[in-house]
Amino acid sequence: MHPTDIRDPGYFHKVVDCQWACPAHTPVPEYIRLIAAGRHADAYMVNWRSNVFPGILGRTCDRPCEPACRRGRVEEGNGEKPEPVAICRLKRVAADLKGDVRARMPKKAARGNGRRIACIGAGPASLTVARDLAPLGYQVTVYDAEAKAGGFMRTQVPRFRLPEPVIDEEVGYVLDLGVEFVGGRRIESMKALLAEGHDAVFVGCGAPRGRDLDLPGRREAAAHIHIGIDWLASVYFGHVERVGRRVLVLGGGNTAMDCCRSARRLGGETVTVVVRSGFDEMKASPWEKEDAMHEGIPILDYRVPLAFEHEDGRLTGMRFQRVRAEYGADGRRSLVPTGEPDELIACDEVLVAVGQENAFPWIERDAGIEFDRWGLPVLDKDTLQSSLPHVLFGGDAAFGPKNIIWAVAHGHEAAVSIDRLLSGEEPRERPAPAVSLVSQKMGIHEWSYDNDISPEERHKVPWAPTEQALRRIDLEVELGFDDATAWREAQRCLNCDVQTVFEDGKCIECDACVDICPMDCISFTANGPEDELRTRLTAPALNLAQDLYVSGPLKTARVMVKDEDVCLHCGLCAERCPTGAWDMRKFLLHTTQAGRSCRDARPEAA
Amino acid sequence: MTWIAKPRLHHPSLSRNAVGYTRRDYEGKVSTLCAGCGHDSISAAIIQACWELDIEPHRVAKLSGIGCSSKTPDYFLGNSHGFNTVHGRMPSVLTGANLANRGLTYLGVSGDGDSASIGMGQFVHAIRRGVDMAYIVENNGVYGLTKGQFSATADQGSVSKRGVANSDAPIDLVGLALQLGATYVARGFSGDKAQLVPLIKGALGHRGVAILDVISPCVAFNNHAGSTKSYDYVREHNDAVNRLDVIEGRAAIAVDYDPGEAIDVVQHDGSVLRLRKLDPDYDPTDRLAAMAYVNLHQARGEVVTGLLHVDPAATDLHGHLGTVATPLNQLGAAELCPGAAALAKINAALR
Ligand SMILES: Cc1cc2nc3c(=O)[nH]c(=O)nc-3n(C[C@H](O)[C@H](O)[C@H](O)COP(=O)(O)OP(=O)(O)OC[C@H]3O[C@@H](n4cnc5c(N)ncnc54)[C@H](O)[C@@H]3O)c2cc1C
Ligand SMILES: Cc1ncc(C[n+]2csc(CCOP(=O)(O)OP(=O)(O)O)c2C)c(N)n1
Ligand code: SF4
Ligand code: SF4
Ligand code: SF4
Ligand SMILES: [Mg+2]
């Protein structure tokens, strides 16, 4: 193998599994250390810079960082149940305990730059664009059909998961930057909007249409059958306050999970989730399923809905075909009937949560914006520009329904594109991130980070008692970690951003680092091709998603090979190294956001 | 020395041996030696060897004298029996322990100062007697613990860190061991575990006295240019005569090899020492030839390493003395006190 090029910012970034996996590349270990140090406001601001809604995301994020977290792999073969660090819930701790951070927020631009930006929809994508651009002097106007800003975070995510004051606060920080919000205003025509002469238009209108199920009985029993996302919005607006005693929820995504748990709180005594395919294939996250089942909601799988059963316009139940999964020679799965008799499940109300679609009825097809055959805009996937370069899309409107953190990530990228475009620079040239790599050495055995490794298992977030929680729709179920538990959970973080950095020329091949390494990460061996090298290291390097760090040839002509996979970042290798060939250096990466640092021409420093 | 304890977490693929332990179970406390000390590598090699041999930790007694090297038993085999003797007295205490309980595996750890200076007498007599032990000398050419004075194994002309040349002639522990009739004599290098681990395994399985001289650079006081015990010097002058594989169990014995390429020696415990020749003329079972070879090559400035001598017909102290086969602590009153009639018979024989 060739020696690893650690000057490529991508190399060490990938080692920080959580940050790499986060669509907005939040510097996770950095904020976790700040929480451990009791610096909650600082931790909050690190988050706020990257993901704009730490309090909201700390309760609702899909947390792609957690399955990626190294701690989960490190605990494999070591304890009962390997678990990642509770990254998401620690974020909430920063938000809960931060105190007043208003003074730390960016100031409104003193002077405008004369550029006008329109954002359609006030969801997380648009709000991120607004946050990034408004302080630079852009005049940003955000339009939404609803009276309040927040998008689906406000109208879809139920209050028992996300209290409204948290939304008000964090949406408020954005609007307070001098963003103009026009609520209660549905944009009906893109052409008309374009005619208003905005310098750029950002479309963040989401994926607002819930899929229906056109089955026999659908029309006859219509009064008792609801589209999940519409029903959740009605619950939010208070138009729906009760639900039938027996409720069926169709679908296996997070909308289904929110529907069933809301139904439990609105009088549903037996609420059942029914999915077509297997339990494990459901789109909802494992924790969402756990939460639902914890509230006494069974999930029935491998049942294909056939018909709504009704009597005199009244829904009586639903009929399902029992199926099982079969895998063809090509590995593709199909659902085949088991041959068992159809199953009738009695119910009074059905919530259909079988998917969401994009819809752009207000964008005229001759407005100059190209759409593909699935009805999605044709976009440059890096700049998010449409075929009209000054019209950009982000969030669920761009590539179909995703989640809040992706919407935020899109918002940042779109803001960079707009800033470059309106500065006369090529948006397709993307600015490199800002990185630093700083030694953490303080003394022979002292580091400026806490390198001791906590043996503790993941801590559980306390819950409100279930019978109490089920009585009210607006009672938050999760109570959040207290300060002490948060500290202990923070100790589980391995500080993956504190990198092991190797200097070939200093190594005397004494083996001290190999001997001390608790995880058998380090080998000194003859070089070879990667696949072969992976098999003959101190411990086999079987996780191909994780890189090998390879040195240049050493005095004995061997090379140092470090498998990054399960390194604890404990620094023991560096402590045992007599020559300082190993050093522990903190790698901090900030994605480049709109503003001077994203532009090629950087005039006078402010 | 590090401030944090080595985390208990281990690689997910870490496996257990036949007696149910992982390699990590053979570790001891965190080392307090200087970072990069060769002695720590030897500890790691001992851990690896004991794990591979499926030795039960509580069936090992590790004894040592005084010195950085002699401190190391604290850093491996945390669940074994241990004894730190006074300076240079490890061999006699170990001899006593071995006589009392021959059921344990005996590992003596010492330094060049501990064995070649104050303990010289102990060293030679343990070999003469053929005490059944693996005797490891962690040889750095200095008194590491007392800050780097030349030891008796330092080569003449070798230069100290402060620039002073050593004027005294060195004691060669391997040469002494060969001359005194040690039945297993090897030299290793702490910087070459691939060679060292099998040498330790062979020594632990050997019934009789096994002397293992391991060159082990002292990074603090003897790893500079001009030293003959530094990482660089040993790597440049290493002359390995063979590569040892320790093969356990019967199946392996049947494996064929070209007789010109390897020599097999069966040990008492049934394991086979397979020596792949690096020097085609070297026959480690011929003690006199081994002495000549070692002397010749050392005179040329080479550091001769490998399994230098092994006696397939090795015997030990218990065999010489005809001691009882059972460890003394397992003998009951009946065996230990044969009764008045037996005593009367003995007395009668002495009249
Ligand atoms: C039930 C449910 C639960 C969810 N739970 C989670 C969760 O826990 N975690 C998570 O990360 N994600 C969750 N999601 C997904 C998440 O809500 C979305 O991915 C995210 O909000 C998308 O953000 P956005 O900025 O693209 O637009 P949205 O948040 O969808 O906001 C779009 C806004 O645009 C407005 N709008 C649309 N058309 C127009 C127009 N023509 N004129 C003016 N305004 C218009 C709408 O009123 C809406 O307010 C959930 C989704 C649903 C349906
Ligand atoms: C009776 C006695 N005399 C002298 C000493 C001082 N002393 C301690 S360690 C040591 C030499 C150790 O050298 P070596 O065995 O080579 O061990 P190293 O530290 O080099 O590994 C000496 C002379 C002592 N502890 N006890
Ligand atoms: S252990 Fe910490 S730094 Fe490492 S991936 Fe998990 S959260 Fe990120
Ligand atoms: S920091 Fe060094 S010693 Fe610790 S696990 Fe990683 S490679 Fe091993
Ligand atoms: S401890 Fe340092 S000098 Fe020794 S082998 Fe490791 S990197 Fe090289
Ligand atoms: Mg010494």
Side-chain angles (χ1 to χ4, degrees):
Chain A
M1 289 180 75
H2 291 294
T4 303
D5 180 11
I6 59 167
R7 284 164 313 173
D8 170 4
Y11 182 75
F12 283 140
H13 188 187
K14 228 179 131 191
V15 174
V16 195
D17 289 306
C18 46
Q19 186 176 12
W20 179 258
C22 174
H25 302 310
T26 306
V28 173
E30 178 76 357
Y31 82 69
I32 291 183
R33 274 190 301 274
L34 290 170
I35 291 171
R39 293 168 56 186
H40 299 112
D42 291 330
Y44 183 85
M45 293 312 292
V46 167
N47 270 289
W48 190 80
R49 183 194 182 278
S50 298
N51 55 52
V52 191
F53 304 102
I56 293 172
L57 287 164
R59 292 166 166 85
T60 61
C61 188
D62 267 353
R63 13 174 161 154
C65 54
E66 292 193 15
C69 170
R70 178 166 280 106
R71 180 87 197 190
R73 298 197 300 280
V74 154
E75 289 187 358
E76 255 168 56
N78 276 290
E80 289 284 290
K81 189 172 171 226
E83 292 251 41
V85 174
I87 300 172
C88 180
R89 282 357 184 206
L90 284 172
K91 190 191 313 293
R92 169 176 172 176
V93 171
D96 284 355
L97 305 181
K98 67 184 181 302
D100 188 347
V101 291
R102 277 173 300 181
R104 294 168 171 251
M105 292 294 164
K107 305 277 167 289
K108 278 186 202 176
R111 257 175 295 116
N113 65 5
R115 309 287 198 161
R116 289 163 53 234
I117 315 292
C119 294
I120 315 309
S126 286
L127 291 174
T128 301
V129 172
R131 189 208 73 170
D132 286 0
L133 294 181
L136 304 177
Y138 289 93
Q139 186 193 328
V140 184
T141 310
V142 179
Y143 300 95
D144 202 294
E146 307 299 347
K148 288 186 181 175
F152 271 18
M153 304 188 293
R154 195 185 288 275
T155 59
Q156 291 291 315
V157 180
R159 289 299 79 90
F160 58 85
R161 287 207 288 129
L162 177 59
E164 196 143 22
V166 180
I167 307 174
D168 291 340
E169 177 190 341
E170 292 191 332
V171 167
Y173 292 142
V174 176
L175 299 183
D176 286 349
L177 296 170
V179 174
E180 187 191 0
F181 174 62
V182 182
R185 164 93 176 273
R186 178 173 294 278
I187 302 298
E188 302 290 358
S189 161
M190 177 59 102
K191 279 182 163 173
L193 184 76
L194 291 175
E196 289 174 21
H198 298 280
D199 293 290
V201 173
F202 178 79
V203 181
C205 64
R209 189 179 286 166
R211 283 209 192 97
D212 203 350
L213 265 188
D214 189 19
L215 294 175
R218 172 70 179 91
R219 225 160 323 120
E220 293 83 340
H224 308 285
I225 301 168
H226 316 283
I227 303 293
I229 64 170
D230 298 342
W231 182 80
L232 285 170
S234 305
V235 171
Y236 164 66
F237 288 115
H239 304 324
V240 168
E241 288 177 324
R242 300 287 305 161
V243 71
R245 199 168 54 80
R246 300 166 305 172
V247 182
L248 283 191
V249 177
L250 307 182
N254 44 21
T255 305
M257 296 302 108
D258 283 339
C259 284
C260 68
R261 297 179 69 194
S262 297
R264 269 303 261 136
R265 288 160 169 79
L266 296 178
E269 284 166 24
T270 47
V271 178
T272 309
V273 174
V274 187
V275 295
R276 291 169 65 92
S277 50
F279 181 84
D280 294 331
E281 296 151 74
M282 288 168 62
K283 275 206 185 138
S285 321
W287 55 87
E288 288 179 303
K289 296 194 267 186
E290 268 166 42
D291 291 350
M293 292 185 300
H294 178 78
E295 293 178 353
I297 301 167
I299 299 177
L300 307 180
D301 63 354
Y302 289 122
R303 284 162 172 86
V304 175
L306 294 177
F308 298 96
E309 300 290 329
H310 54 95
E311 249 176 61
D312 314 324
R314 194 175 59 85
L315 182 73
T316 57
M318 268 200 89
R319 207 149 38 78
F320 295 92
Q321 183 182 48
R322 302 291 300 269
V323 294
R324 63 188 152 77
E326 232 171 52
Y327 294 87
D330 55 353
R332 283 180 61 131
R333 192 213 58 177
S334 54
L335 296 173
V336 296
T338 61
E340 291 164 87
D342 290 347
E343 184 176 14
L344 184 78
I345 304 180
C347 63
D348 307 311
E349 213 148 344
V350 172
L351 303 174
V352 182
V354 295
Q356 244 172 285
E357 283 167 356
N358 288 81
F360 303 97
W362 55 280
I363 303 183
E364 298 84 350
R365 295 302 133 128
D366 60 352
I369 299 166
E370 247 179 77
F371 284 85
D372 64 17
R373 58 199 171 96
W374 297 279
L376 286 171
V378 175
L379 302 177
D380 178 315
K381 70 174 186 11
D382 296 322
T383 67
L384 302 174
Q385 288 169 290
S386 72
S387 48
L388 281 184
H390 72 301
V391 178
L392 301 90
F393 286 68
D396 288 358
F399 308 107
K402 286 193 174 169
N403 53 36
I404 299 169
I405 191 65
W406 268 112
V408 169
H410 289 165
H412 289 312
E413 292 305 320
V416 167
S417 301
I418 292 171
D419 197 29
R420 286 182 65 87
L421 182 73
L422 300 187
S423 309
E425 291 176 355
E426 174 52 73
R428 239 162 288 146
E429 275 159 32
R430 305 306 285 178
V435 293
S436 59
L437 190 63
V438 178
S439 178
Q440 301 297 290
K441 200 169 176 71
M442 306 260 286
I444 298 181
H445 315 292
E446 274 174 294
W447 304 99
S448 51
Y449 74 109
D450 182 358
N451 61 328
D452 206 354
I453 305 297
S454 163
E456 293 191 6
E457 288 175 11
R458 183 180 170 116
H459 298 268
K460 283 220 152 36
V461 180
W463 281 343
T466 306
E467 62 294 354
Q468 209 173 308
L470 289 180
R471 245 178 269 142
R472 281 177 50 192
I473 189 109
D474 60 351
L475 184 80
E476 191 173 16
V477 174
E478 284 195 14
L479 303 177
F481 286 132
D482 58 32
D483 202 0
T485 318
W487 184 85
R488 298 171 72 129
E489 184 62 26
Q491 297 308 303
R492 293 182 68 243
C493 172
L494 300 169
N495 302 290
C496 299
D497 59 341
V498 181
Q499 306 283 350
T500 55
V501 180
F502 184 79
E503 242 176 273
D504 309 1
K506 284 187 175 171
C507 176
I508 59 170
E509 298 176 71
C510 69
D511 265 7
C513 52
V514 180
D515 297 337
I516 196 70
C517 177
M519 304 306 279
D520 298 335
C521 301
I522 305 172
S523 307
F524 289 86
T525 184
N527 205 344
E530 177 168 355
D531 46 351
E532 181 262 342
L533 201 51
R534 280 179 175 271
T535 61
R536 56 174 170 85
L537 301 177
T538 309
L542 304 178
N543 183 353
L544 301 183
Q546 290 283 322
D547 287 337
L548 297 183
Y549 182 174
V550 182
S551 76
L554 303 173
K555 266 194 186 153
T556 60
R558 299 179 300 174
V559 287
M560 185 291 299
V561 184
K562 184 201 165 201
D563 180 7
E564 299 283 6
D565 187 19
V566 290
C567 169
L568 300 176
H569 298 260
C570 63
L572 287 179
C573 47
E575 285 194 23
R576 297 303 299 169
C577 180
T579 63
W582 284 113
D583 190 20
M584 304 305 293
R585 297 193 191 150
K586 185 168 93 174
F587 172 82
L588 193 56
L589 177 142
H590 282 298
T591 53
T592 302
Q593 298 184 349
R596 200 156 11 100
S597 63
C598 90
R599 294 179 220 135
D600 306 334
R602 288 171 201 176
E604 78 301 346
Chain B
M1 179 68 193
T2 54
W3 298 135
I4 67 166
K6 181 164 170 173
R8 290 303 303 166
L9 289 165
H10 57 70
H11 195 275
S13 74
L14 190 72
S15 57
R16 294 182 183 279
N17 61 11
V19 288
Y21 297 108
T22 70
R23 193 182 77 245
R24 299 287 304 276
D25 294 327
Y26 292 82
E27 290 180 349
K29 294 197 191 111
V30 150
S31 169
T32 60
L33 302 185
C34 304
C37 177
H39 299 351
D40 281 333
S41 284
I42 301 174
S43 298
I46 293 171
I47 289 166
Q48 181 73 24
C50 290
W51 179 78
E52 287 181 14
L53 287 175
D54 303 321
I55 291 178
E56 293 177 298
H58 64 280
R59 302 303 296 162
V60 177
K62 43 176 189 173
L63 292 92
S64 62
I66 298 293
C68 297
S69 36
S70 292
K71 284 172 69 176
T72 62
D74 213 19
Y75 316 140
F76 59 79
L77 295 175
N79 291 311
S80 298
H81 307 279
F83 199 118
N84 265 106
T85 73
V86 284
H87 204 8
R89 269 54 176 181
M90 176 274 287
S92 55
V93 177
L94 189 147
T95 303
N98 187 319
L99 280 172
N101 186 352
R102 60 189 297 177
L104 302 180
T105 297
Y106 286 91
L107 173 60
V109 175
S110 179
D112 43 323
D114 196 57
S115 282
S117 293
I118 193 168
M120 185 82 267
Q122 303 253 321
F123 175 79
V124 297
H125 290 291
I127 298 175
R128 273 184 61 239
R129 292 179 179 131
V131 180
D132 178 14
M133 68 189 291
Y135 190 138
I136 298 181
V137 182
E138 307 190 343
N139 187 352
N140 54 15
V142 288
Y143 297 169
L145 192 68
T146 55
K147 302 228 172 303
Q149 303 82 356
F150 277 124
S151 79
T153 64
D155 290 310
Q156 212 161 24
S158 156
V159 176
S160 76
K161 202 174 179 181
R162 288 170 55 214
V164 182
N166 177 35
S167 53
D168 299 340
I171 292 175
D172 174 27
L173 294 173
V174 156
L176 264 181
L178 285 168
Q179 190 203 330
L180 292 163
T183 45
Y184 182 108
V185 181
R187 185 181 280 129
F189 169 44
S190 69
D192 184 354
K193 278 209 202 68
Q195 180 194 46
L196 181 57
V197 171
L199 291 177
I200 295 173
K201 285 168 73 177
L204 287 168
H206 182 74
R207 190 191 300 167
V209 64
I211 300 292
L212 189 42
D213 179 27
V214 187
I215 312 294
S216 174
C218 171
V219 279
F221 301 112
N222 207 9
N223 193 38
H224 46 268
S227 158
T228 58
K229 299 270 190 293
S230 65
Y231 283 103
D232 286 349
Y233 184 90
V234 179
R235 286 207 167 102
E236 277 157 28
H237 295 81
N238 196 339
D239 169 30
V241 296
N242 49 32
R243 281 279 168 186
L244 171 65
D245 287 318
V246 178
I247 304 165
E248 292 163 83
R250 235 161 271 123
I253 298 176
V255 175
D256 272 349
Y257 59 88
D258 182 341
E261 288 170 5
I263 298 175
D264 274 4
V265 177
V266 183
Q267 301 236 73
H268 283 90
D269 61 0
S271 63
V272 174
L273 305 180
R274 176 160 300 159
L275 289 148
R276 280 172 293 130
K277 292 181 178 178
L278 298 177
D279 184 321
D281 297 330
Y282 197 85
D283 176 5
T285 60
D286 182 340
R287 183 166 71 98
L288 297 178
M291 288 169 75
Y293 183 99
V294 169
N295 283 332
L296 180 67
H297 286 257
Q298 276 172 191
R300 291 183 191 157
E302 288 166 20
V303 180
V304 184
T305 61
L307 179 46
L308 304 175
H309 171 56
V310 60
D311 180 354
T315 53
D316 85 323
L317 180 61
H318 284 284
H320 303 161
L321 298 181
T323 52
V324 58
T326 315
L328 303 189
N329 61 3
Q330 288 169 36
L331 295 176
E335 293 98 331
L336 290 172
C337 182
L343 182 62
K345 231 171 115 186
I346 292 169
N347 282 339
L350 295 173
R351 280 207 180 90

